[in-house]
Amino acid sequence: MWIADNWKDYQVLDTSNGEKLERWGDYTLVRPDPQVIWNTPHNHKGWKNKNGHYHRSTKGGGEWEFFNLPQEWTIQYDLHGRALTFHLKPFSFKHTGLFPEQATNWDWFSDLIQKANRPADKPVKVLNLFAYTGGATLAAASAGAQVTHVDASKGMVGWAKENAISSGLGDAPIRWLVDDCVKFVEREIRRGNKYDGIIMDPPSYGRGPKGEIWKIEESIWPFVELCTQILSDDALFFLINSYTTGLQPAVLSYMINTAVTKRFGGHVEAQEIGLPVQESGLVLPCGASGRWQRD
């Protein structure tokens, strides 16, 4: 398992009975987590001193309950000596605007980008698909990459821009695009554009800006095949993240090996990703990632 254990501003404090207790900077939240099927004593004081609690409804969805929590605040992540700053706010379906477990992937590909040691006039070109609020975009840009950030939500792209400005990356070479990821890649193929690294964090289900439907089990394989057509001949990496239980690490490994390794060489690793839990000393699983990199 790859563990995101370099955080200072974020921590999973405890987990029990379908929920996780988290510290986000100065504030403590309780949010549902389907992986937490155990029911252990609520010994950590944070359970009684929380600032926000997302209550899941038996009818689907849910709602937030707040206790002295600001509408927005920030936390930072230290990546190779640069502080990445993220604006947080509780919004629909339990989210805060950041998936902290992804930091283990930021560490991995930012290291590859830095070690590539490309000249200034030929930077590593990275494509971040389903890019959300830009955690991976900021990590790649801070490592020296030229990044294209694509998400179907105008609001999420605006949020990512705010994060970039707060991280001192407002003038970094980042293209911000509100677009359907599949249609964008199809256009890039026609234009002959290539990328040295591709990151994708596809949702289980989603809609594009014009109502395009995405179902991961049906859409992910043809999309991965499509993306291999815009990988450069000397590409560095290819990353897929999955929160869908059907896409286990072995499935991601098989898919990337078949689509990418057969064509470009290199090797694939796939693992669960997780976050350490303070109270138990164990690790909370948070999905899976498949990584390809050039040998």
Side-chain angles (χ1 to χ4, degrees), residues 123-127 146 148 175 188-189 191-198 226-235 263-264:
V124 174
K125 295 179 64 177
V126 172
L127 174 61
Q146 178 181 319
T148 299
R175 279 200 302 165
E188 290 293 83
I189 292 170
R191 288 188 283 242
N193 289 333
K194 301 285 186 177
Y195 295 88
D196 305 307
I198 295 178
L226 204 65
C227 287
T228 62
Q229 297 182 54
I230 56 171
L231 270 178
S232 66
D233 291 338
D234 56 350
R263 182 172 174 180
F264 294 91

Side-chain angles (χ1 to χ4, degrees), residues 127-253:
L127 174 61
N128 187 13
L129 299 162
F130 312 98
Y132 197 52
T133 59
T137 294
L138 303 191
S142 70
Q146 178 181 319
V147 187
T148 299
H149 173 111
V150 186
D151 196 277
S153 168
K154 183 178 180 180
M156 291 300 146
V157 174
W159 194 338
K161 288 181 181 179
E162 291 179 14
N163 288 337
I165 292 169
S166 296
S167 300
L169 295 166
D171 295 325
I174 303 172
R175 279 200 302 165
W176 305 100
L177 301 175
V178 179
D179 205 343
D180 175 76
C181 289
V182 176
K183 291 186 175 179
F184 173 77
V185 171
E186 289 173 340
R187 288 197 300 274
E188 290 293 83
I189 292 170
R190 293 194 294 270
R191 288 188 283 242
N193 289 333
K194 301 285 186 177
Y195 295 88
D196 305 307
I198 295 178
I199 301 161
M200 64 172 72
D201 200 347
S204 298
Y205 179 87
R207 289 185 180 271
K210 296 183 180 179
E212 302 90 344
I213 294 176
W214 169 278
K215 294 181 180 179
I216 194 167
E217 290 87 352
E218 299 173 6
S219 305
I220 187 65
W221 167 248
F223 188 54
V224 170
E225 285 193 302
L226 204 65
C227 287
T228 62
Q229 297 182 54
I230 56 171
L231 270 178
S232 66
D233 291 338
D234 56 350
L236 295 176
F237 67 90
F238 193 107
L239 170 66
I240 303 176
N241 297 309
S242 172
Y243 298 94
T244 303
T245 54
L247 296 184
Q248 298 294 330
V251 175
L252 296 174
S253 177

Side-chain angles (χ1 to χ4, degrees), residues 7 15 35 45 49 87 90 99 110 149 162 181 183-184 205 235 255 261 264 289:
W7 280 98
T15 61
Q35 300 288 341
K45 63 181 181 180
N49 299 311
H87 292 257
F99 292 95
S110 64
H149 173 111
E162 291 179 14
C181 289
K183 291 186 175 179
F184 173 77
Y205 179 87
M255 184 165 54
T261 309
F264 294 91
S289 292

Side-chain angles (χ1 to χ4, degrees), residues 52-68:
H53 191 169
Y54 186 89
H55 299 279
R56 178 164 282 172
S57 170
T58 56
K59 299 179 181 179
E63 63 180 1
W64 281 98
E65 180 183 14
F66 299 123
F67 311 93
N68 195 29

Side-chain angles (χ1 to χ4, degrees), residues 19-32:
E19 295 182 315
K20 56 188 173 185
L21 173 69
E22 306 165 288
R23 178 180 65 83
W24 299 81
D26 296 329
Y27 303 100
T28 305
L29 303 180
V30 176
R31 299 190 298 155

